[in-house]
Amino acid sequence: MNSSEEIAVAGMSAGRSALRMGPAELVQAAAMARRFYLEGKSKIQIAEEFGVSRFKVARVLETALERDLVRIEIRVPAELDAERSDALRARYGLRHAVVVESPAEGDDESPDPENLGEVAADLLGELVTEGDVLGLAWGRSTIHMAAALDRLPPCTVVQLTGVYDAGTAERGSVEAVRRAAQVSGGEAHPIYAPMLLPDPATAAALRSQTGIARAFEYFDKVTVACVSIGSWEPGISTVHDMLSDAERAHYASLGVAAEMSAHLFDTEGRRVGRDLGERCITVEADRLRRIPEVVAIAGGQRKAAAIGAVLRSGLVTSLVTDRAAADYLLTESSPGTHPALDRKDPDGS
């Protein structure tokens, strides 16, 4: 994840502009540059060694850069796109934006690329500190992320949503919580319940059960959360796939464009169909907004508009995505503000 820097310190064969310097100047500049860039010595240390002022050292180093005596090359792993990452971070006010290469051309029908989860796992290793409470919501990308974890400081891990199907808990979000806790050596608080229930009464009854209630008690303590994003279409939104045809049509009529942790959003990031939350086992949007760091993992052209909608909601602070989605997000209409930085609810409620 960390970028590496390659510093080339030229000698007498420096570029044409550097040859305007005399041989003694060239040799001294090369030596100072080697001390500063390759050996990590301070300007004061270099000044003492060469018997000059630190201001002289600073001028020599500046001249070495201007005249091509020193060349600095910033390299990041090939799968990371630093330019798009920085542009996306600035456009939405994100704390962190990491853009990775997209799947092979023509593979738009696939779910989130698995390499998103791998990169997100590395990012989580940077963001989580000892004593944090890590929250994981249901999603294919968060499951891939948990599977790729190989380092994590000691922390408590709590599940933020029920599962797509209680029968798949062992290979779903419950297993993701267990895996993260195993890597960190901390406590795990899974939720053994479906995400969507038939009615509000059933959902309320489940929330009061001891194990689920204990997990919910940790929601206000979560410091870092990982979530997935779905667009409102089959196979791309877990909630969409769990509803009946009539229910899908109803929520579509409300203008739903995206789904995250069983919360629905229109294209402007406003929440719609809030009644659905009464039937769901999930972290409330208000609680999610109070979590200091919320990392969304989602990519692909089919999810691009949905990612933009959720970014406008102000619920997400960081994003791991791919080039296909990033290109859409960088060319769509401007969000106007920095929603990830402001953390404001677009509809003010």
Side-chain angles (χ1 to χ4, degrees), residues 91-92 312 333-339 342:
R91 184 177 179 85
Y92 287 90
R312 283 178 165 82
S333 59
S334 172
T337 60
H338 290 149
D342 300 334

Side-chain angles (χ1 to χ4, degrees), residues 17 34 72 238:
S17 60
R34 186 173 291 106
I72 300 176
T238 300

Side-chain angles (χ1 to χ4, degrees), residues 134-207:
L134 172 63
L136 299 182
W138 160 265
R140 297 179 185 91
S141 55
T142 52
I143 292 170
H144 290 154
M145 180 276 299
L149 282 172
D150 59 10
R151 63 186 177 95
L152 206 59
C155 64
T156 299
V157 186
V158 60
Q159 194 169 321
L160 296 178
T161 65
V163 297
Y164 174 60
D165 180 349
T168 64
E170 291 302 315
R171 57 183 184 274
S173 46
V174 168
E175 180 55 32
V177 169
R178 287 175 174 169
R179 167 65 182 168
Q182 180 183 27
V183 172
S184 73
E187 295 181 2
H189 295 276
I191 294 177
Y192 295 95
M195 181 189 295
L196 181 65
L197 282 305
D199 53 71
T202 305
L206 277 177
R207 291 190 203 102

Side-chain angles (χ1 to χ4, degrees), residues 17-298:
S17 60
L19 290 176
R20 296 174 185 171
M21 301 171 69
E25 290 178 302
L26 275 170
V27 171
Q28 185 185 65
M32 288 184 176
R34 186 173 291 106
R35 303 288 195 281
F36 185 74
Y37 291 109
L38 300 183
E39 298 176 12
K41 291 187 176 181
S42 69
K43 293 174 185 176
I44 293 176
Q45 290 173 313
I46 297 170
E48 290 175 351
E49 178 182 347
F50 286 87
V52 298
S53 71
R54 62 186 177 90
F55 301 105
K56 168 72 172 178
V57 173
R59 284 196 300 272
V60 169
L61 293 175
E62 183 178 349
T63 301
L65 283 171
E66 290 175 350
R67 299 191 179 184
D68 208 27
L69 183 65
V70 173
R71 300 173 185 174
I72 300 176
E73 182 179 358
I74 307 299
R75 292 182 176 179
V76 296
E79 69 271 15
L80 299 184
D81 192 318
E83 185 176 351
R84 283 181 174 87
S85 298
D86 187 55
L88 197 59
R89 178 200 57 76
R91 184 177 179 85
Y92 287 90
L94 293 159
R95 292 202 184 98
H96 305 280
V98 183
V99 178
V100 305
E101 63 183 0
S102 298
E105 189 174 353
D107 194 23
D108 294 339
E109 299 302 312
S110 64
D112 294 324
E114 290 194 23
N115 62 342
L116 292 187
E118 295 168 0
V119 173
D122 285 342
L123 177 61
L124 211 60
E126 295 181 53
L127 299 181
V128 175
T129 59
E130 184 172 353
D132 275 344
V133 176
L134 172 63
L136 299 182
W138 160 265
R140 297 179 185 91
S141 55
T142 52
I143 292 170
H144 290 154
M145 180 276 299
L149 282 172
D150 59 10
R151 63 186 177 95
L152 206 59
C155 64
T156 299
V157 186
V158 60
Q159 194 169 321
L160 296 178
T161 65
V163 297
Y164 174 60
D165 180 349
T168 64
E170 291 302 315
R171 57 183 184 274
S173 46
V174 168
E175 180 55 32
V177 169
R178 287 175 174 169
R179 167 65 182 168
Q182 180 183 27
V183 172
S184 73
E187 295 181 2
H189 295 276
I191 294 177
Y192 295 95
M195 181 189 295
L196 181 65
L197 282 305
D199 53 71
T202 305
L206 277 177
R207 291 190 203 102
S208 66
Q209 290 188 358
T210 304
I212 297 175
R214 185 178 298 116
F216 267 65
E217 289 174 358
Y218 274 91
F219 286 0
D220 287 329
K221 304 174 185 177
V222 173
T223 50
V224 180
C226 283
V227 299
S228 296
I229 296 172
S231 56
W232 197 246
E233 57 180 305
I236 308 296
S237 165
T238 300
V239 172
H240 180 282
D241 292 346
M242 288 192 288
L243 295 172
S244 67
D245 290 341
E247 289 171 325
R248 291 170 192 152
H250 166 67
Y251 291 115
S253 72
L254 300 179
V256 59
E259 175 260 319
M260 180 183 70
S261 303
H263 300 296
L264 310 182
F265 306 87
D266 67 11
T267 56
E268 297 304 315
R270 295 182 293 259
R271 289 179 58 213
V272 296
R274 299 190 181 206
D275 60 302
L276 184 65
E278 298 176 6
R279 296 169 49 193
C280 294
I281 303 297
T282 186
V283 60
E284 299 95 325
D286 290 341
R287 278 178 161 174
L288 200 59
R289 198 180 303 278
R290 291 194 295 269
I291 295 174
E293 185 73 78
V294 179
V295 181
I297 313 168

